[in-house]
Amino acid sequence: MNAAAEPNAPAETPAIANAADAALAVETMSDILDRLIDTVETETEHLRAGHLRAALALEQTKSELARTYAAESARLKAASTIVARLAPDTMRDLRARHDRFQSLLQTNLTVLATAHAVSEGIIRGVSGELARKRTPSTYGASGRANAPNARAAQPMAVSRSL
């Protein structure tokens, strides 16, 4: 399918042919990267503070910026030799920003993994407590209380939406 056939397809961006095009492409990429960095930083702050709804509210913005970033990145990569020759200083700055973004993204992924692990631990704890409360309290031959049977536990439904 071509871009004209898809109503939500992005407009074709022109090829980078001269120094002005190269400078504009790097400036555009820098702007996208700055907005993406701000969004990821904000999301990370919300996740660290436990504000999951606020973090989820950024999902669409982050996805759109990531899509735009990928498209512009592919455009710059296709013309990397021209851009490196015509705008070497701005490319060095862009690479430094990209490195900062990679570090920030690693931190964000670590915070997301931590939030996931904590959430999973809470759900497992609630499930275990419900199973314990529903199981009759009995004593074994040794005189100690029997642990709840894992197979006798009632299923628990969890809504994944916040």
Side-chain angles (χ1 to χ4, degrees):
M1 261 191 199
N2 61 24
E6 295 182 36
N8 294 331
E12 286 292 320
T13 53
I16 299 169
N18 55 42
D21 291 346
L24 181 61
V26 171
E27 182 180 325
T28 301
M29 185 66 169
S30 293
D31 180 51
I32 294 166
L33 192 54
D34 287 342
R35 290 187 299 156
L36 191 55
I37 286 171
D38 288 343
T39 303
V40 171
E41 282 177 337
T42 303
E43 180 187 52
T44 302
E45 290 169 9
H46 287 313
L47 288 169
R48 281 185 173 153
H51 303 143
L52 299 180
R53 288 182 197 267
L56 282 175
L58 297 171
E59 181 180 359
Q60 186 172 355
T61 302
K62 187 171 87 169
S63 294
E64 181 64 27
L65 286 170
R67 186 194 60 74
T68 306
Y69 172 81
E72 194 63 25
S73 180
R75 180 175 173 238
L76 275 174
K77 187 175 183 177
S80 62
T81 55
I82 295 169
V83 175
R85 185 171 42 86
L86 298 175
D89 293 337
T90 55
M91 276 303 286
R92 277 191 290 276
D93 180 50
L94 185 60
R95 282 190 182 107
R97 282 185 182 166
H98 181 74
D99 290 343
R100 178 175 172 245
F101 175 62
Q102 290 297 320
S103 174
L104 175 64
L105 201 54
Q106 186 62 40
T107 301
N108 180 266
L109 291 173
T110 302
V111 170
L112 281 169
T114 302
H116 181 268
V118 167
S119 299
E120 186 175 321
I122 290 169
I123 296 298
R124 287 185 191 277
V126 168
S127 176
E129 188 64 22
L130 289 173
R132 187 186 66 74
K133 286 184 176 182
R134 288 184 181 153
T135 304
S137 180
T138 60
Y139 294 95
S142 66
R144 295 182 186 201
N146 286 330
N149 186 351
R151 287 187 284 178
Q154 295 292 319
M156 182 175 83
V158 177
S159 173
R160 295 183 66 112
S161 65
L162 294 176

